[in-house]
Amino acid sequence: FVFSVADATQATGVQYTLVDMTLQGGLGGLAAPSRTLTPNSTEKLTIVPHCNKSNYWVILHEKGNATFRVYLINDNGLVTTPASFTLGSAHPSGRGYLKPSPDGRRLAAAVPGFVEVFDFDDKTGAISNPRKREDPAFAGAYGVEFSPDGNLLYLSAGTTLHQLQTSSLATVGTFSSSAELGALQGGPDGRLYAARAGQEHLGVV
């Protein structure tokens, strides 16, 4: 499956399509047109492996409320009826990322003005125990990512990268950039990469 999410200015929500790797002589291709999973979604979309190491959880957050949708991908495909969990804060803006911790036990959401962390059960798909930190410095919050050991959380907001303790959400460090920071992504080399607006190179920690 390939999942795509509209940006904050669009109303097409989350769509998905099926990839068939037997097409085009093994190069793969789209087996069906894109279908809408839900029309009401923020940019927040992530996938967490199931604890059985075979299935997957697809997690997204609705726009304008405090509801998560959790979908299961199992041996039969995508189960399009989700489990819903309404907790934490409403997300009035569509902007911002949702990321799982490396062990799949926590979720972090970046929302303009605050950051929120939740517990996630990779066996049942349940989301619980919201923890929130509001801060004027987070007004432009967008990207979020955990450290490889999950103990630190990184949040991009404007030209500042905030380094937080995952357990308390207390700030332990900040990094400044000459350009506005966007999406954050942990790499397989253990380093953190950041998109920099209008620049030809990524930032790296």
Side-chain angles (χ1 to χ4, degrees):
F1 292 95
V2 173
F3 296 87
S4 61
V5 59
D7 69 25
T9 65
Q10 298 173 314
T12 52
V14 174
Q15 297 188 328
Y16 71 97
T17 190
L18 182 65
V19 175
D20 184 347
M21 291 306 298
T22 66
L23 297 177
Q24 301 186 69
L27 296 176
L30 302 182
S34 294
R35 302 175 185 176
T36 298
L37 191 59
T38 176
N40 178 30
S41 177
T42 63
E43 294 179 328
K44 295 172 177 64
L45 171 68
T46 195
I47 295 179
V48 178
H50 193 287
C51 68
N52 64 16
K53 309 302 181 184
S54 177
N55 299 338
Y56 294 88
W57 301 105
V58 180
I59 308 165
L60 57 87
H61 198 287
E62 293 185 359
K63 183 178 179 180
N65 58 43
T67 299
F68 285 93
R69 287 173 170 248
V70 181
Y71 299 83
L72 177 65
I73 299 176
N74 59 24
D75 294 343
N76 296 317
L78 175 65
V79 180
T80 56
T81 301
S84 295
F85 301 91
T86 300
L87 72 168
S89 303
H91 293 192
S93 167
R95 287 176 53 82
Y97 268 68
L98 176 69
K99 285 293 187 74
S101 59
D103 63 5
R105 301 297 179 87
R106 284 167 292 188
L107 299 170
V111 182
F114 64 91
V115 62
E116 243 173 345
V117 176
F118 304 82
D119 292 341
F120 182 71
D121 188 326
D122 61 357
K123 181 178 181 179
T124 66
I127 300 172
S128 61
N129 191 23
R131 288 91 76 193
K132 177 181 180 181
R133 179 181 166 190
E134 291 185 274
D135 195 304
F138 299 165
Y142 187 73
V144 66
E145 183 64 284
F146 287 89
S147 62
D149 62 8
N151 291 328
L152 295 174
L153 187 66
Y154 291 86
L155 178 73
S156 65
T159 58
T160 303
L161 180 65
H162 300 269
Q163 185 186 53
L164 313 175
Q165 285 282 357
T166 301
S167 57
S168 65
L169 296 181
T171 299
V172 294
T174 57
F175 305 86
S176 295
S177 169
S178 59
E180 185 175 350
L181 299 172
L184 303 177
Q185 180 64 51
D189 57 1
R191 298 197 291 179
L192 178 72
Y193 293 88
R196 301 169 68 233
Q199 305 299 304
E200 296 181 353
H201 301 90
L202 298 172
V204 61
V205 177

